[in-house]
Amino acid sequence: AQTVTQSQPEMSVQEAETVTLSCTYDTSESNYYLFWYKQPPSRQMILVIRQEAYKQQNATENRFSVNFQKAAKSFSLKISDSQLGDTAMYFCALGSGGYQKVTFGTGTKLQVIP
Amino acid sequence: DAGVIQSPRHEVTEMGQEVTLRCKPISGHNSLFWYRQTMMRGLELLIYFNNNVPIDDSGMPEDRFSAKMPNASFSTLKIQPSEPRDSAVYFCASSLGLVTDTQYFGPGTRLTVL
């Protein structure tokens, strides 16, 4: 079995500040990928960033970066220079190649305050 | 590309009626996923197809739910008979390959069962 845990149901950050969303996971697979998806109030879910487990280098995508700690099974998302458009629900997800299983966390609702 | 297309966008029906949700994945994508999202239960994976074959249907709640993928460009999720507790937003997503690939989500169908 595999699990994804997001322990922060809600967070807020001031515009232009930096915020970190937490995610921990558990899997016995060696071939897996981790994802952060964003769901704004419009409801459309889109990919923010993707990390391959076998890559030690942390993925970055403009203002978004991850801190991937494989041994600790931790995959946090850092948003720098927060913008009002970052207000959304953020989901951490795990896709395991061997199990052919994908699991989403319960989400963190992020509010960017002007 | 038009992205993942779902229809209808909204559906209101009465308890006991049959409901059919439709999804057209992105052309060339080999995997298709159906999710259900509610406030209480978050985002749940219902079923996952690869090359039109169901790979993981462990999330399908009960026999009232059924999903088909008759070809690479079309899938349906059917609920018969519907119940008020089925009220939710249902998302369809597709990916190029397997669960380790990025998923592209449709806009969702908001289902209300009275």
Side-chain angles (χ1 to χ4, degrees), chain A residues 37-54:
Chain A
Y37 287 90
K38 170 185 176 181
Q39 186 180 35
S42 65
R43 208 171 71 194
Q44 183 86 39
M45 188 94 75
I46 57 172
L47 177 74
V48 175
I49 202 162
R50 176 176 178 244
Q51 174 80 42
E52 301 161 65
Y54 63 85

Side-chain angles (χ1 to χ4, degrees), chain B residues 35-98:
Chain B
Y35 293 90
R36 177 172 68 178
Q37 186 175 35
T38 61
M39 289 293 291
M40 290 296 293
R41 300 174 69 91
L43 188 68
E44 303 171 274
L45 175 66
L46 300 177
I47 189 168
Y48 150 52
F49 292 89
N50 182 252
N51 290 324
N52 312 335
V53 175
I55 302 298
D56 180 6
D57 64 355
S58 59
M60 293 288 266
E62 49 199 275
D63 291 346
R64 297 186 298 107
F65 285 69
S66 62
K68 294 182 180 179
M69 192 163 187
N71 57 63
S73 59
F74 183 65
S75 176
T76 59
L77 178 68
K78 186 176 293 186
I79 308 172
Q80 165 64 18
S82 58
E83 297 182 2
R85 61 191 168 118
D86 302 330
S87 296
V89 179
Y90 291 81
F91 288 100
C92 175
S94 69
S95 73
L96 196 59
L98 304 173

Side-chain angles (χ1 to χ4, degrees), chain A residues 3 16 21 28-30 52 73 92-93 96 105 111 113:
Chain A
T3 60
L21 310 184
S28 56
E29 278 284 311
S30 58
E52 301 161 65
K73 295 185 177 176
C92 179
S96 294
Q111 180 75 41
I113 302 167

